[in-house]
Amino acid sequence: MLDISEVSRQSGVAASKLRYYEEIGLICSIGRSGLRRVFAPDVLSRLSLIALGQAAGFSLAEIGDMLGPEGKPDIDRERLGAKADALDRRIKQLSAIRDGLRHATTCTAPRHLDCPTFQRLMRIALARQSARGPGRQGAKAAKAAKEARTQQGRTRLRRDG
């Protein structure tokens, strides 16, 4: 049996994160020793799987689905393959960005905006951003702006009304 401080020390995972993982069902303590949570030694293996899943880009909810509630992982191979394909696409995108940055450092054009290669990279970046839509931050900003306009309209109605 390992108390929470020992699990934290061996895994490198903060005790607060261990408590959170327990709260959302990713890990389970087997009891308490005084006020401290106690875990079975296999929790370290489970924490390793969680770390691997996060490094691969899976959400905690997705990781929880694959780990299962009884502590016996049921890892969906199709989901792993899809994630690997998504990582391949992301690597390709990042490689293109890296290559563009490398070109920009050695480009002989008087200004970057005069360089056809740099202009092409800018068009590609804009097309990718447009394809993704406004994103979370953009959607939040759009919602906040809409709410502000609505509030301004209400204020005008009260004032003019």
Side-chain angles (χ1 to χ4, degrees):
M1 294 190 325
L2 303 169
D3 76 11
I4 193 167
S5 63
E6 186 61 22
V7 173
S8 180
R9 188 186 68 70
Q10 287 188 32
S11 68
V13 177
S16 59
K17 190 179 278 191
L18 293 170
R19 288 188 288 275
Y20 177 67
Y21 285 174
E22 183 178 21
E23 182 181 319
I24 64 172
L26 291 177
I27 61 174
C28 294
S29 62
I30 57 172
R32 292 192 179 261
S33 175
L35 296 176
R36 292 179 173 226
R37 289 172 171 84
V38 178
F39 296 90
D42 68 345
V43 73
L44 296 171
S45 175
R46 197 161 172 95
L47 289 169
S48 295
L49 286 170
I50 293 167
L52 179 61
Q54 287 183 303
F58 288 103
S59 70
L60 290 178
E62 291 172 316
I63 293 167
D65 288 345
M66 287 189 273
L67 290 179
E70 284 102 44
K72 295 182 181 169
D74 183 20
I75 299 171
D76 182 343
R77 292 175 191 266
E78 285 184 35
R79 189 181 267 183
L80 293 179
K83 183 60 77 172
D85 292 344
L87 286 171
D88 282 340
R89 289 189 298 276
R90 184 70 177 137
I91 290 167
K92 186 177 178 183
Q93 291 170 349
L94 290 172
S95 294
I97 292 168
R98 180 207 55 219
D99 294 347
L101 292 173
R102 295 267 184 242
H103 172 79
T105 63
T106 61
C107 182
T108 59
R111 294 176 345 140
H112 288 102
L113 295 179
D114 296 335
C115 172
T117 302
F118 194 75
Q119 290 176 0
R120 182 177 57 82
L121 291 169
M122 290 188 320
R123 285 192 303 273
I124 291 168
L126 186 60
R128 284 188 183 139
Q129 185 175 354
S130 296
R132 283 187 295 217
R136 272 177 77 172
Q137 295 302 324
K140 285 181 183 179
K143 183 179 179 182
K146 182 179 178 182
E147 289 172 1
R149 285 192 304 273
T150 302
Q151 186 61 37
Q152 287 172 347
R154 289 183 191 137
T155 303
R156 233 182 269 121
L157 282 174
R158 276 188 244 129
R159 186 185 60 212
D160 299 339

